[in-house]
Amino acid sequence: MNVLVLTGAGISAESGIPTFRGADGLWEGHRVEQVASPQGFDADPVLVHRFYNLRRRKLQDPSIQPNAAHVALADFERGHQSGDFLLVTQNIDNLHQRAGSKRVLPMHGELMKVRCIDTGELFDWTDDLSLETPHPADPDNAKLRGRLRPHVVWFGEVPLGLESIERAARKADVFLAIGTSGLVYPAAGIVSQTPVHCRRIEINLDDTPASGAFDETIRGRASEEVPRVLASL
Ligand code: BJW
């Protein structure tokens, strides 16, 4: 049985990380596009750096920990011997990895990494980032200051690992979408790449625009429903 899982902000909500489009959506007063697009970054890099700095700091707060849904996915992967497994996450937090998941594909990037705007080189990162941050490759070079950006995929940019995702979708026997609003593409279109025989299961607090594409729609909290559904597979 080949299993493909897609997770979104809802799976981390119960770990204390706010969703994007919920009532308590991130960053009071700022639309997602304002802080998550190359145009937003060009228009106000200080604001965008601040947005990601706050999130990077919060992710390192000891109170933010993987919840039962993250742990259940990691446990399932460990015990899954009879087929392929891939966990595609739209989340830039590292909670799946911290829960012990190995085959994780963070299609919208990773908050704990930064990228050189000029070369694409990646660096692990725990600190704040600013227009003054020295470049780790050449810290004394003043021209390279401010040439780092968060390693995240903004609107209009191509998500990571799309070929691997499509390959996994085409051969999936089970597709599980957890805590995602189904509004952002291409993630929202993965369900339509799965074969006819695939069992498609959506776990979410509410209906989403994608719900109609699923065979089973389970309404409830990820921390309760994910362990239950995985145990039943
Ligand atoms: C719970 C829960 C609990 C809560 N238990 N559930 C018109 C039509 C189609 C597409 C487009 C279009 N116009 C433009 C586009 C493309 C655009 C797009 O999709 N826009 C739409 C908004 C219309 N997409 C792109 O630009 C993408 N790139 C692209 O298309 O490139 C072109 C290309 C593609 C393929 C090949 C070649 C070229 C890039 C998208 C990048 C998205 N980036 C962000 C920011 C990442 C960095 C960061 O985190 O800051 O990704 S935006 C933001 O949305 C973030 C998320 O990963 C993403 C999805 O959000 P998610 O995870 O679904 O969260 P929410 O908050 O929306 O939903 C949470 C859900 O959880 C809710 O449903 C709750 O009910 C539920 N929930 N608690 C269970 N306890």
Side-chain angles (χ1 to χ4, degrees):
M1 178 176 65
N2 297 329
V3 178
L4 175 62
V5 180
L6 172 70
T7 62
I11 196 169
S12 295
E14 292 169 69
S15 292
I17 300 179
T19 62
F20 292 91
R21 297 172 183 84
D24 60 347
L26 278 177
W27 201 246
E28 328 78 52
H30 295 290
R31 285 177 295 110
V32 175
E33 293 76 6
Q34 200 177 353
V35 284
S37 71
Q39 295 79 7
F41 186 57
D42 288 346
D44 196 344
V46 173
L47 172 79
V48 174
H49 277 316
R50 210 173 132 227
F51 175 70
Y52 286 99
N53 288 343
L54 287 174
R55 289 172 66 191
R56 197 179 299 107
R57 280 187 209 171
K58 184 165 181 187
L59 187 55
Q60 295 175 83
D61 187 297
S63 68
I64 304 291
Q65 296 294 335
N67 63 51
H70 298 103
V71 171
L73 283 164
D75 288 348
F76 180 85
E77 178 186 346
R78 255 191 306 277
H80 185 66
Q81 312 290 346
S82 58
D84 294 343
F85 177 88
L86 181 65
L87 170 48
V88 175
T89 185
Q90 297 168 85
N91 301 340
I92 63 171
D93 64 49
N94 52 10
L95 296 183
H96 285 304
Q97 293 89 337
R98 279 164 54 186
S101 287
K102 301 288 181 221
R103 278 163 278 175
V104 186
L105 198 166
M107 68 182 294
H108 290 164
E110 294 175 78
L111 185 56
M112 301 305 293
K113 291 184 180 166
V114 299
R115 188 164 84 228
C116 175
I117 292 168
D118 305 309
T119 65
E121 194 177 357
L122 295 181
F123 302 94
D124 291 331
W125 209 259
T126 52
D127 298 333
D128 283 356
L129 204 55
S130 80
L131 295 176
E132 308 303 322
T133 304
H135 198 297
D138 191 358
D140 296 328
N141 188 338
K143 282 189 192 152
L144 293 184
R145 282 178 190 246
R147 300 307 293 164
L148 297 174
R149 58 163 277 185
H151 178 51
V152 300
V153 178
W154 287 325
F155 284 107
E157 298 182 325
V158 181
L160 307 171
L162 290 180
E163 281 181 22
S164 304
I165 296 170
E166 181 168 356
R167 243 191 331 270
R170 297 269 175 230
K171 61 178 186 194
D173 301 307
V174 174
F175 175 62
L176 200 55
I178 305 164
T180 177
S181 58
L183 290 168
V184 175
Y185 284 82
I190 295 173
V191 63
S192 64
Q193 297 176 330
T194 57
V196 179
H197 77 269
C198 181
R199 183 177 165 201
R200 306 169 194 87
I201 307 170
E202 180 188 60
I203 299 177
N204 199 302
L205 288 179
D206 298 314
D207 285 345
T208 73
S211 296
F214 287 83
D215 305 301
E216 296 162 54
T217 49
I218 296 170
R219 297 289 155 258
R221 294 150 68 99
S223 63
E224 290 164 11
E225 300 302 334
V226 173
R228 196 180 59 74
V229 169
L230 289 173
S232 75
L233 288 181

